[in-house]
Amino acid sequence: MSERINGAEALMRSFKEENVTTIFGYPGGFIIPVFDALYSYQKEFDCILTRHEQGAVHAAQGYARVTGQPGVVIVTSGPAATNVITGLADAMLDSTPLVVITGQSIVAQLGTDSFQETDVIGITQPVTKWSYQIRRAEDLPWAVARAFYIAREGRPGPVVLDLTKDAQTQLFDFEYEKCRFIRSYQPNPTPDQADLALAADLINLAKRPMAVVGQGVMLGHAEKELYEFLEKADIPAASTLLGLSIMANDYPLNMGMVGMHGNVAPNRKTGECDVLIAIGCRFSDRVTGDINTYAANANIIHFDIDPSELNKNVRVFLPVLGNVKQTLPAVTRLLKPARHTEWIASFKTYKEQEDKQVIARDLHPEGPAITMAETVKCISDKSGKQAVLVADVGQNEMVSARYFSAGPGRQFVASGGLGTMGFCLPAAVGAALGAPTSEIYAVCGDGGIQMTIQELGTIMQYQLPVKVVVLNNNFLGMVRQWQELFWDKRYSSTRMQNPDFVQLAASYHIAGRRVEKREELSEAVQQMIDHKGPYLLEVHVEEEGMVYPMIPAGQPISNIIMGPSEK
Amino acid sequence: MEKKFYTVNVYSENTVGILNQVTNVFTRRQVNIESLTVSRSSIPGVHKYTITATTDEETIAKMVRQIERRIDVLKAFYYLDDEIIFQEIALYKIPTDKVMEHGIIEQVVRRYNARILEMNRGYTVIEQTGHNEEIEQLYRDLEPTGILQFVRSGRISITKSSIERLSNFLAEMEAKRLASEQSYK
Ligand SMILES: Cc1ncc(C[n+]2csc(CCOP(=O)(O)OP(=O)(O)O)c2C)c(N)n1
């Protein structure tokens, strides 16, 4: 059954076939036909007009991160296409499924530097899983089907379809067939039985096993499989930044977070364990520090779906290729039930050390200034079980990761691999749309929020109940922290004069409040939570606050700086 | 790690823009491409890239996996010289009078397995197929005649192994396709 329609209409029908419900967009000359078609599909799709194309992509990322479904973006050509690059690169590094449609000039003018023409394929190829230019309407259903398949399947990622004006307006016989197979792409590599058996043997023999849990577990929907695996062999586990909220904070085997500002115990224990089981993570240098000393006493087993990640950053003893949804239970079946009571108890010493030297100071500071940690902890304590925290980048992100107790669920969203300042506010827009029944906290710094602050307009227009928390230290805090520790306190270009954020929010008709005194913090947070609809809370925090513990970049992860006295 | 000379074979679908994606993997790691040849393969719709570069084994192994990661790339492999049979082709254009003067034609043709493609009053074009060293040797031999033009192709290669890894991969994928169709029926 086919019917003659134009490419723009075909795009709408294709989206319906792929169960799209929400679209983030921004119109312009070379995409008008698609927006015209959208006008007739207002019942089917929520089309969210952001205030910048970067915001549209980050919003789609936030949406994808909380729903597990591809985020969909439609923008025009030229400057709009270049505005989406940051979000694409971010999504590529953080394995976020996106389908981004960019408008493009008419075919006859391609390559002639015509108005608002850019080489979108050339620019986007290095930062996408796939990008493709559609020149004829009849190729559109095939390309869209393939785009969703590629974005979703295997290790997810962003896909760009560069849609020429011709392809939007040409009439053709529409027929849609979902993509189920691509000859050159193996999204789910078949696990090697011998590897699985060897992994089980190694774990069965381990005296001091430890797991590092990455986002791959979430992307593979293998949370249950993870818990069964850990519990059967009694394996203490830590998360990467993007793995946070897979295990609840109070999950008995959860030992915290690894990495530069991670918890002391799992970082130190990385060097003490005899088998390190990395599950769906990619050994970012923010996790490993100096790779030559990383997990020096362990045989590393690495479970991952992407062959190019295996042995890429860290040389491992045993790579186990495959979807963790399959490989984990297969190994679990071969595990002998075990108890590692003493080993697990030994994490405690380091935990107590961190509690005393870092956490107590963060949460019960001597000085009058409010700390970021107090603020995030207060939100964490008062918010509901389902609350989602979307962090920006910098100190606010690390403190959020450390003090917000999330999970189990998709409840912590941050820009990991790219570390994109300005991610938070638009990503929170997407999270609010993707998880409409959850409280959404957008926790950002005074620097980062100003990179995409115009998205307050989007929050206003759609009355999204995002609670924006600006941790204002009047500094580009994380850079200042490096300058303090490693550059002799030469605060070059990190001091920032800021607007009145509460008034700024007010001009968007968003309620808000500023807090400067500790006595007011708890009540102010409560007021924000109780407020129906969007809200902005500006918290004046310690100007020269630090995030500890810290492992200086490139150093062995045993070189942990615990506080100001040592460095 | 020790640097060696590698030959990389990449098989891809015949879609626009793959070359960029392949070379980008080399660019990101600052590995110089020594030669690059692209052509159709024996399998309809499949293109073959032969790339040579000098680097260490760890790097080339990672790069090959990153090339394979691109959606439209079917498979990529890397080889050392002893695992493949390979050739390059070179063309030399030299002034005919000089050729006569030096009386080298016969010697060249015999010793280097070269042949004369064209000979006229003005110039002579010699074609030679062989390995890098042979081509360089002949170049040196011809240099005194005053070479007018010299051009050489990139390397092309065929594996010595009796296992046809690409065909096996395609067969495996075809089985997967059939299985996926079954499961949706
Ligand atoms: C787009 C972008 N530009 C620059 C940086 C470098 N950078 C990392 S953290 C940081 C400071 C962030 O300051 P702020 O947003 O105020 O947050 P804070 O660290 O104070 O919590 C900067 C400039 C970045 N990560 N992203």
Side-chain angles (χ1 to χ4, degrees), chain A residues 208-328:
Chain A
R208 300 181 306 281
M210 174 174 145
V212 172
V213 176
Q215 194 196 193
V217 171
M218 204 184 284
L219 297 171
H221 305 281
E223 291 88 347
K224 197 171 113 291
E225 289 77 4
L226 172 76
Y227 308 146
E228 284 167 6
F229 168 82
L230 296 175
E231 286 161 27
K232 186 164 180 190
D234 201 28
I235 302 169
S239 304
T240 64
L241 182 73
L242 295 196
L244 286 175
S245 85
I246 291 170
M247 298 179 287
N249 252 51
D250 55 2
Y251 180 63
L253 292 169
N254 185 356
M255 299 294 143
M257 179 174 79
V258 288
M260 184 177 273
H261 296 285
N263 294 112
V264 175
N267 275 331
R268 289 231 183 265
K269 291 293 175 181
T270 300
E272 292 176 22
C273 63
D274 61 357
V275 174
L276 186 104
I277 307 140
I279 309 170
C281 66
R282 61 184 181 87
F283 296 112
S284 148
D285 52 273
R286 267 14 188 189
V287 163
T288 62
D290 168 29
I291 44 167
N292 298 315
T293 53
Y294 180 73
N297 295 307
N299 284 328
I300 302 177
I301 308 174
H302 187 191
F303 291 83
D304 208 278
I305 197 167
D306 179 354
S308 74
E309 287 299 346
L310 301 171
N311 284 317
K312 186 185 82 177
N313 294 347
V314 168
R315 278 231 235 165
V316 302
F317 185 81
L318 177 65
V320 181
L321 180 63
N323 187 337
V324 289
K325 181 94 182 164
Q326 291 159 5
T327 52
L328 277 181

Side-chain angles (χ1 to χ4, degrees), chain A residues 372 393-396 419 421 445-448 451 473 475-479:
Chain A
M372 289 191 183
V393 166
Q395 294 183 318
N396 61 84
M421 280 173 73
D446 47 303
M451 286 210 171
N473 52 11
F475 265 115
L476 296 173
M478 188 54 95
V479 178

